[in-house]
Amino acid sequence: MMRTPDGKEEKDLLELEGVVERVIYKNDANGYAICELSLSDEEYITIVGTMPYVSVGESVKALGEWTVHPNFGRQFKVSYFEKQLPATTSTILKYLSSRTVKGIGPKTAKLIVEAFGEDTFDVLENHPEWLSQIQGISEKKAVEISANFKEQFGIRSVMMFCQNYFGPTTAVRVYNRWGGSAVDVIKENPYLLCEEIYGISFEKADNIARELGTKKNARFRVMAGIRYLCTYNAFQNGHVFLPEDKLIPGVVQMLGIETYDAEDALEQMLTDGKAVCVKHGGRRCIYLKEYFEAETYVCRKMDLLDKTCERSAAADIYRWIMKIESEEQIEYAKLQRRAIEMALDSGVMILTGGPGTGKTTVIKAVMRIFDDMGLKIALAAPTGRAAKRMSEATQVEAKTIHRLLEMEYADDIEPRFRRDANNLLDEDIIIIDEASMIDIMLMQALLKAIHPGARLILIGDADQLPPVGAGYVLNDLIASDRFSTVQLTEIFRQAQESLIITNAHAINHGEMPDLKTKTRDFFFMPRADEVQTAETVAQLCAVRLPRSYGEQIRDEIQVITPSRKGEAGTELLNVRLQAILNPPAPDKKEKKMRDIVFREGDKVMQIKNNYDIPWEREVMGRTQDGIGIFNGDIGIIERINLMEETMRINFDDRHVTYDFTMLDELEHAYAVTVHKSQGSEYPVVILPVYKYTMKLLTRNLLYTAVTRASRMVIMVGDEETVYKMIANNRQTKRYTGLPYFLKDYSENSWNADGHEN
C-alpha cells in the first residue's frame, strides 16, 4: 500500500480534486498555504497544509482528512497533493491574473489569453517574441515574462519529481538549494541530497539512487558511503577519524560491495583532497578533510597563543594576589594561588576540578587582575544555560560561544561565524567555562577568532561526559601536557556541608556515596523495579515535593535519566509526566506530531542545532533580537496557533516562533537524558537509577548527573545499580588525533596531504 510522505496510507485518506480560486495565505519559506478550492460551480471549501508555490487557477488533487478549526470551522487538512497547470482559457486567465508570473497583471493576462487561448503557456515558454504583439509588452519585457514563467515551471517540475520521494517541505529545501536545475542535479548524483539538504538521510538518498538505476559499486555511491560512515561516527560516537582497517570493512558491509570497490573509492577521495590519511601510532587513519584541518589548526593555534602571550613578572603576580587577599580578607589555597599565577603567566591555561573546589573563586580573582591591567575580557560557554550560570557567578555578562563569534546562518548545512581569522575578536582575555563540552569543530571556530597575543583560559571538569560532537578536546589538551594545567582537588568547608558535592566527589573517586542520610540535600529512595521507580518520580514531581516545599518548586525540578528507553526512560516518563503536570484542558490548544502531543504549557527541548531561527527578548524595556536555538535548550510552549500552524516558545526569555514543519526539532523535556543535561544546572534533580544497558552503567555518567543539581538530588531506584555504575570506570573510546599532533608538533610537521614529514 502506497504511503504519503507523512507516513499515512492513502486508503486512510479522502481525495478531493478542484481548482484553486483564492490563496488566502502562503509561506514560501516552508510551503504552508491556506486556499479556497472550487470543487464545482457551487461548492467551495478551505484546504490547509503544506502546498509549495500553489497558485490561483491551478488544478489540485489533494489527499487528506476533514478537520474542524475552533475559530474557522470545517477545513480539509492536506497530507499529500499534486497540482497541474491550468488547461482551459478560463483557468489560464485566473492563473495569470493572480500575478503568479512576474510582469503579468489582470489586464495584461486578459489580452494574452484573448490572443493565444489554450496555447498561452506554449507561447510563454517557447515563443516569447510573440508576446511583443500585445499592447504594452516590449520585446525586453516579453523576454523577462518568459524567463519568469520558465522559473515557475521549473518549480513545478522540481515539486512533481520530489513528491515521489519525500514531503513538500523537503522539496522546498531542494528547490531553494538548486533551483530549476534540481532534478538534473539529483539524477546526476542523488547522494548530494544527504550531503547538502538538511533532513535527508543517506538511506533516503540511497533509495532514490536505486530507483534511478545507480549501480551498487558506482564510484560516487561508494564515496558518499565513506563520507556518511565517517560523519555518522563523528556525530554519534565522537570519532574525529576512523582507522582504515575499520572503515573499509564497515563500508563494504553497509553498501554490499567488494573490498576493492571501497579501497578504490577511498583512494579517489584521498587524491581529490576530500579525505586525508595520517598514521597515528603506526596505524593508517582516515579523516574527512574538514576534521583533519580542524585538529591540525587547533594544534597550531594553541601553540601560537601559548608562545606569543606577554608574560607577567613574578613580582607583579605576587603583588596582585596579595592586594586582593588583603582587600577581600581572604587567603587563597595553595592550588588556587598556583592557578592564578599560571593564568597570568601563560598564553593558554586550563583549570579543572570538581564541584566545590573553588574554580569560580580563581576566575573572579583573575578577572579582577586583568581588569586592573586594562585588558578586555570575554566570558563564554558552549550552552545558553552554562553562560547564564557563568554570568550569575561572576556578575559579568557571559555569552554562548556561538554568540561571541557572532554566528549567522549561511545555508542548510552549517553556521557561519562573522568573527574569524579575518575579523578577530577584540578581547585580550578569553575565558571559557564548561570546556569539556567543546567539540573539535567549535574549538577550531573559537581559536580562529582569537588574535595572537591574547590569553585563553579553559575551565571545565574533565571527569564529566565527553562532548556531544566529535573530539575530546579538553581531555586531549590535558593529556598532552603541553599547556599550563591546574586541577583543584580541595573541597572547601562550605562545600563540605553539601552532600551533593561530597557524594559527587565520592562517586568520582570510585567510592559509594552516602545514601542513608535524610537530613540534607541528597536523598535516595529505594524501589523494587522500573515501574515503581517511574511512579515514584511522577509522584515526587506532582505531589510530594510541592506539598513539602511549595508549588514554586515545580518549575525548579528536572528529571534526568540515563536512557531514552524503559519505564523510567525519557520517552515513557515524558508521557507520564505530561499527563500529570500539564493535562488536557479546554483552554489549552494542542498539536500532534510524530505520535507526540504538544500542548500549551508543555516543557520542551530543542534536539538539534537550528542556526537561523530568530528570537526576541525584552531587556530593560527594549526588544533585543538574535538568531539560533541550540541542541539542549529548554523552553515552555506559550501559544499554539492552529490557523497559522505556528507555536510560540519561551527559551529562558528568548521568544521563538516555530512553524509546524519544524516540530521534529522538539521533544518533551519533563525528563531529559544525562547527555542532554550537560552544561546545565537545575535547582532540583530527580535521577531514576535502574537496570539500563551496560553501555550506560558508567561512573562518569552518574557523576555528570549528580553534578547538574545546585540544591537537591533525589535518586530513585536500585542501589545495586548505583554500585555497578561506580565500579565501572570505563571511558568511552574516541578516535582523536589531537594528542598525537600536540605531542609531535613543530612548525610544518605535516605536509599538504596530511602525512607526517
Side-chain angles (χ1 to χ4, degrees), residues 52-314:
Y53 305 105
V54 68
S55 299
V56 170
E58 290 182 321
S59 297
V60 170
K61 181 174 82 170
L63 295 177
E65 53 195 350
W66 288 105
T67 61
V68 178
H69 190 279
N71 297 325
F72 302 99
R74 194 167 183 250
Q75 299 177 335
F76 191 77
K77 174 68 175 176
V78 176
S79 295
Y80 175 81
F81 91 115
E82 296 178 359
K83 62 178 182 175
Q84 295 178 334
L85 286 176
T88 66
T89 54
S90 61
T91 55
I92 291 172
L93 180 58
K94 283 182 182 179
Y95 179 82
L96 294 180
S97 298
S98 68
R99 302 183 186 275
T100 297
V101 178
K102 188 177 180 181
I104 300 180
K107 291 183 179 179
T108 305
K110 184 178 180 181
L111 294 174
I112 293 174
V113 174
E114 285 177 350
F116 303 112
E118 294 180 0
D119 295 327
T120 294
F121 288 157
D122 179 60
V123 172
L124 289 173
E125 183 176 7
N126 300 310
H127 306 287
E129 67 276 7
W130 295 0
L131 293 174
S132 59
Q133 302 171 14
I134 305 297
Q135 182 180 359
I137 300 180
S138 64
E139 290 185 5
K140 179 182 178 182
K141 185 176 181 180
V143 172
E144 292 173 349
I145 288 173
S146 178
N148 188 257
F149 175 78
K150 289 177 181 179
E151 181 181 350
Q152 297 297 325
F153 189 80
I155 293 171
R156 179 178 174 275
S157 299
V158 173
M159 295 299 150
M160 295 299 290
F161 177 83
C162 289
Q163 73 183 15
N164 296 319
Y165 303 113
F166 29 72
T169 303
T170 303
V172 171
R173 292 193 185 111
V174 171
Y175 178 78
N176 289 340
R177 175 66 182 88
W178 293 306
S181 62
V183 175
D184 292 333
V185 170
I186 294 169
K187 287 181 176 179
E188 183 176 347
N189 185 356
Y191 297 95
L192 292 176
L193 287 167
C194 61
E195 293 180 11
E196 300 190 25
I197 305 296
Y198 170 76
I200 299 181
S201 66
F202 175 83
E203 290 82 357
K204 171 64 75 174
D206 205 31
N207 289 336
I208 294 172
R210 191 179 303 112
E211 290 190 24
L212 294 175
T214 301
K215 293 182 179 179
K216 267 188 174 185
N217 64 345
R219 180 63 60 86
F220 62 77
R221 177 178 187 254
V222 183
M223 291 170 67
I226 291 172
R227 180 168 189 84
Y228 165 73
L229 201 58
C230 291
T231 303
Y232 175 87
N233 275 279
F235 284 107
Q236 295 298 319
N237 300 315
H239 299 317
V240 182
F241 65 81
L242 288 177
E244 186 177 18
D245 55 23
K246 288 188 175 291
L247 173 62
I248 294 298
V251 172
V252 169
Q253 181 179 6
M254 180 181 74
L255 301 182
I257 57 175
E258 300 296 333
T259 298
Y260 58 79
D261 292 322
E263 291 173 342
D264 288 349
L266 176 59
E267 193 58 41
Q268 184 68 53
M269 293 179 71
L270 295 173
T271 301
D272 294 345
K274 295 178 180 179
V276 177
C277 178
V278 178
K279 282 190 176 182
H280 290 319
R283 196 177 189 185
R284 281 172 58 89
C285 301
I286 307 301
Y287 287 84
L288 294 179
K289 178 185 177 183
E290 57 267 32
Y291 286 99
F292 170 77
E293 291 178 344
E295 280 202 336
T296 53
Y297 182 87
V298 167
C299 180
R300 289 195 300 269
K301 187 62 177 281
M302 294 281 286
D303 185 76
L304 177 66
L305 290 177
D306 204 39
K307 288 177 178 176
T308 56
C309 174
E310 183 177 347
R311 265 49 180 178
S312 301

Side-chain angles (χ1 to χ4, degrees), residues 488-506:
L488 301 178
T489 56
E490 179 182 351
I491 306 175
F492 290 93
R493 181 174 299 175
Q494 185 177 358
Q496 289 176 357
E497 298 174 2
S498 167
L499 263 183
I500 295 175
I501 291 176
T502 56
N503 278 343
H505 283 273

Side-chain angles (χ1 to χ4, degrees), residues 692-709:
Y692 21 80
T693 62
M694 287 302 298
K695 183 179 179 181
L696 296 173
L697 290 172
T698 64
R699 183 187 301 174
N700 66 346
L701 187 141
L702 181 62
Y703 173 72
T704 300
V706 169
T707 55
R708 296 309 89 206

Side-chain angles (χ1 to χ4, degrees), residues 703-715:
Y703 173 72
T704 300
V706 169
T707 55
R708 296 309 89 206
S710 61
R711 291 210 322 261
M712 185 188 303
V713 170
I714 304 175
M715 293 174 63

